[in-house]
Every structure is written in C-alpha cells, then in structure tokens.
Amino acid sequence: HYYISLTGTNSLKETQEGLSLLGKSIDATITAQGKPALVISFERADISKMVYLKGNLALMNASRMNFGEEFKIEDGIRYEQGTGTMFIFRYAHEQECQNNYSVCIRNLNNNPTCRHQRLKNFIVLVFSNNSSERDRTTKKIAAVLQDQF
C-alpha cells in the first residue's frame, strides 16, 4: 500500500483543488498491482528497506545526493543492504539515461565508496566501504535488470 502526503502552502480553495488534482494524477500512475514495475523486479529483496523514488524531490528526501538541476530521475529505488546503499534509476529513453549518467560520473568518479554502472536505460549506484560487497551487489543488480527488462 502507498501513503502519499501532499501539502499546500495555504488553505485557499485553489490550493486544495490543485492538491486534489495532483493526488488524482498520482493515483492514476500507480499500477493495478499497486507496485511500480521496478519494485516488483526486486521483490526478493527486503521490501522494508526499499524506498521507491519518483522524481528528484523523492531522491533529495531519501539521500544526501545532490548533483544539481542537470541530474533528473523519472523513477528509481533506494535499498539498504549490509553495510551499503544502492540506487537504481530508470529512464524512458537511452539518451536521457546517458546524459544523466554523465552527470553521475562527473560527481562520483572521485568517490572511492561508489561503484556506478549504466545498463540500457538504468543507472546503478552502489555505495559501500567494502569493495567486494560493492562488486557483488552490482553484479546481482545487473543480472536482475537484464533478466527483467
């Protein structure tokens, strides 16, 4: 189940109508199964540690990552595993994915705790101080993405 909280800056009728319209729009995008396809693909993972991300605001709320306005996400997941954290971002078009991956590389190339990879329309980021855990997790994610998408 999903709980979505929308907040307005005031209680004017226009604000309430706008929030209602936004809520209906969000509700219409939730799949019939109640889970986004990306979450369904990683169901074997401990869902209690998984956070679905829809857009940049969700990413900012779920992490300290801030690559600036040029980095955009459509949707993704954040997952805590062992001593690390992984992010998977999905894009509708390969070119958009490539553009955003270039931003990731510029921001993360000097980060020794991050392993990043681009797979088709996905960007995978794995943060961990344990290099073997980073590599193992990245390989598992790649296998799931190649199998499911």
Side-chain angles (χ1 to χ4, degrees):
H1 298 289
Y2 293 94
Y3 175 78
I4 299 171
S5 176
L6 300 173
T7 306
T9 57
N10 57 50
S11 59
L12 295 174
K13 183 179 178 184
E14 294 83 8
T15 302
Q16 291 177 353
E17 289 173 354
L19 290 174
S20 177
L21 183 63
L22 183 59
K24 288 175 185 176
S25 174
I26 292 169
D27 189 53
T29 63
I30 297 174
T31 63
Q33 295 88 5
K35 295 179 188 173
L38 192 56
V39 172
I40 292 169
S41 297
F42 287 90
E43 277 188 312
R44 284 183 241 135
D46 182 357
I47 299 297
S48 66
K49 295 180 180 178
M50 185 183 299
V51 176
Y52 175 70
L53 307 169
K54 183 71 175 170
N56 282 50
L57 184 58
L59 176 62
M60 290 189 306
N61 286 334
S63 76
R64 289 176 285 164
M65 242 188 311
N66 184 2
F67 298 155
E69 291 181 14
E70 63 183 318
F71 183 74
K72 306 280 187 232
I73 70 163
E74 291 179 22
D75 71 332
I77 56 174
R78 173 182 178 253
Y79 178 64
E80 301 286 332
Q81 181 176 5
T83 62
T85 303
M86 69 174 200
F87 292 88
I88 302 170
F89 306 123
R90 182 174 60 174
Y91 297 90
H93 305 286
E94 265 190 73
Q95 186 59 50
E96 182 182 14
C97 185
Q98 179 58 48
N99 294 344
N100 284 288
Y101 187 60
S102 296
V103 175
C104 285
I105 291 171
R106 277 197 311 272
N107 284 277
L108 296 172
N109 257 354
N110 295 326
N111 185 335
T113 66
C114 181
R115 173 105 155 55
H116 50 79
Q117 186 172 1
R118 179 177 164 255
L119 301 162
K120 297 181 184 178
N121 291 3
F122 296 90
I123 295 174
V124 177
L125 306 175
V126 179
F127 294 89
S128 175
N129 289 323
N130 182 324
S131 63
S132 62
E133 181 179 57
R134 273 194 314 268
D135 294 341
R136 194 171 44 253
T137 301
T138 304
K139 286 177 185 174
K140 285 181 187 177
I141 294 167
V144 170
L145 293 175
Q146 289 173 351
D147 184 49
Q148 298 291 320
F149 297 93

